[in-house]
Amino acid sequence: MIPRLKPTLDGRELQAALTLPRQDDVERFETAFAEKMNQKHGIAFPYGRTALYLLLKALKLEDREIICPAYTCVVVPHAIVKSGNHPVFVDCQEQDFNMNLDLVLQSITEKTGAIIATSIFGYPVNLDQLDSLRKKYPHIYIIQDCAHSFAAQWKGRPVQKEGVAAFYGLNISKIITSIFGGMITTDNDALATKLKDARREHLRPPTLSKSIRRLLYLLAVYPTFWTPFYTLVNCLERWGWLAKFVDYYEEEIIDMPDDFLEMMSPIEARVGKVQLEKYDQIIAHRRHLAKLYSDHLKDLPALEPPPLIEGATYSHYVPKVNNREKLLERALQNGLQLGWLIEYSIPQMAAYRQRYPDQPDCPFSNRFSQETINLPLHTNTLQALKIYSKLKKVIFNEKTDLNKQ
Ligand SMILES: *Cc1c(COP(=O)(O)O)cnc(C)c1O
């Protein structure tokens, strides 16, 4: 069985993780990361959500409205709430899943402190539109959420540079990983200093126990994604035995992991640095597979392929389908695990519905949370073609209710 997500790990990460730690591991990772993203400063954090949480603190935002997509990772509004601010959700747009910037205009009030521009699934945020928004409201901070996009480009302009700062998530499911971990990049010297101060004030140093836990986690990742073993892992997952490890949120609760204020460990930084060296190659391959899928999926009436957009980095490849549950079930019977990503629309989640009952309706976000599936982009070309032919078989064997009207 081919897993739907898989980190691009080989012996080099393992070797890096097993070398003796150095005093400056994290600093070296930060420097290399900033260089890769073409920004002056890189500042590391234990999670992407911690990065956002401390960024809002460093910007002195409190009890303010922070505009963010309704269709994004739920840890984003969690970090906003935890920082003492309030998320204001904006629906996404049909063409590229990104937050609709026209609707953002309508959501701005005198309490708005920042806008989180997210390049979801690696589709670059429309920087022309963002420019005019910024001209109109120069006092509102633009924060780039680059957890999916890293250095995606809008018409040749890298998204991460278009705001006060960009943050990234580096957990095992991201384009590149440092086991867990997060990062902020910025060209703003004063902000970089404030972020480091905030880190000193709020984060405790990583313990040896954290390094060991991260090492064990990494060691467990290698066999987990080994194809024969993965079939077993997948069964356990479906039976609910792995819920503690794979579920990253609960519907009713807004919370953060216990160690979200414990600094990134040197092991993570070393693994991240190795991954960074593979970045270009990983992105090139993802672009290649996205194009390959899109060329083929045209022939499958049940699927609507996601757009191909110049400069996108494709953290995920997400076709839309009508009857997701049925397709997923049939595919699984044929040894193909498809899965989905962002299967929720945040304003509809119990925790947010209760806390902020007056959020606007987000019809696209609601729809995409129900209709998208996720095809793997970590495989080689041959495996991708196999996935396509299995999918084709499943769809053509199922004549009736899978097809899109
Ligand atoms: C993963 C992710 C983050 C950060 O996640 P952490 O798990 O806290 O590192 C932020 N935004 C988006 C859109 C993400 O997918």
Side-chain angles (χ1 to χ4, degrees), residues 227-262:
T227 304
F229 191 64
Y230 189 74
T231 308
L232 174 67
V233 172
N234 182 253
C235 286
L236 295 177
E237 186 182 335
R238 272 184 293 139
W239 295 339
W241 290 11
L242 297 181
K244 188 170 171 300
F245 299 100
V246 297
D247 291 351
Y248 65 98
Y249 70 94
E250 287 179 68
E251 267 282 330
E252 296 83 18
I253 311 173
I254 298 174
D255 67 353
M256 299 287 239
D258 291 340
D259 57 1
F260 94 104
L261 294 177
E262 184 173 345

Side-chain angles (χ1 to χ4, degrees), residues 268-331:
E268 291 171 288
R270 286 203 307 277
V271 169
K273 192 156 174 297
V274 173
Q275 284 269 292
L276 212 49
E277 288 158 20
K278 299 179 177 175
Y279 174 81
D280 293 332
Q281 179 197 329
I282 290 173
I283 299 297
H285 185 65
R286 287 180 165 268
R287 286 177 174 156
H288 160 70
L289 283 195
K291 175 146 192 331
L292 183 95
Y293 279 135
S294 286
D295 285 348
H296 284 81
L297 291 184
K298 290 197 299 284
D299 306 330
L300 301 184
L303 295 186
E304 185 188 319
L308 292 177
I309 290 176
E310 183 79 32
T313 47
Y314 304 105
S315 60
H316 305 86
Y317 185 87
V318 284
K320 299 192 198 98
V321 297
N322 248 8
N323 195 337
R324 180 167 70 185
E325 226 163 280
K326 186 149 200 171
L327 178 65
L328 257 45
E329 185 193 308
R330 291 283 187 273

Side-chain angles (χ1 to χ4, degrees), residues 92-102 120 123-124 126 129 154 304-309 320 364 367-368:
C92 52
Q93 55 197 8
E94 175 122 56
Q95 68 264 30
D96 61 3
F97 305 96
N98 277 327
M99 181 165 71
N100 182 328
L101 294 178
D102 291 328
I120 207 84
Y123 289 116
N126 183 327
Q129 256 185 309
W154 171 261
E304 185 188 319
L308 292 177
I309 290 176
K320 299 192 198 98
F364 284 114
R367 228 184 81 201
F368 296 159

Side-chain angles (χ1 to χ4, degrees), residues 136-154:
K136 205 160 167 195
Y137 299 100
H139 60 287
I140 297 178
Y141 294 115
I142 308 279
I143 296 171
Q144 294 285 350
D145 179 350
C146 293
H148 285 184
S149 55
F150 287 76
Q153 295 187 355
W154 171 261

Side-chain angles (χ1 to χ4, degrees), residues 73-189:
C73 183
V74 71
V75 306
V76 170
H78 283 9
I80 293 172
V81 171
K82 197 84 185 169
S83 75
N85 292 286
H86 313 286
V88 171
F89 298 108
V90 169
D91 200 9
C92 52
Q93 55 197 8
E94 175 122 56
Q95 68 264 30
D96 61 3
F97 305 96
N98 277 327
M99 181 165 71
N100 182 328
L101 294 178
D102 291 328
L103 294 180
V104 167
L105 268 176
Q106 296 169 26
S107 306
I108 291 175
T109 71
E110 68 271 19
K111 284 196 76 183
T112 305
I115 296 168
I116 302 195
T118 309
S119 296
I120 207 84
F121 303 141
Y123 289 116
V125 150
N126 183 327
L127 293 182
D128 297 327
Q129 256 185 309
L130 203 61
D131 284 344
S132 55
L133 220 155
R134 188 161 37 176
K135 270 192 207 118
K136 205 160 167 195
Y137 299 100
H139 60 287
I140 297 178
Y141 294 115
I142 308 279
I143 296 171
Q144 294 285 350
D145 179 350
C146 293
H148 285 184
S149 55
F150 287 76
Q153 295 187 355
W154 171 261
K155 296 182 181 163
R157 289 164 66 194
V159 291
Q160 73 274 18
K161 291 179 78 73
E162 301 299 327
V164 66
F167 71 97
Y168 310 76
L170 293 162
N171 70 45
I172 210 82
S173 74
K174 304 296 184 196
I175 293 180
I176 56 169
T177 181
S178 62
I179 313 180
F180 285 84
M183 189 72 79
I184 288 180
T185 60
T186 180
D187 289 324
N188 185 321
D189 298 333

Side-chain angles (χ1 to χ4, degrees), residues 374-388:
N374 180 32
L375 298 189
L377 290 176
H378 60 78
T379 65
N380 61 34
T381 304
L382 202 65
Q383 284 171 320
L385 287 170
K386 253 192 225 161
I387 288 168
Y388 164 72

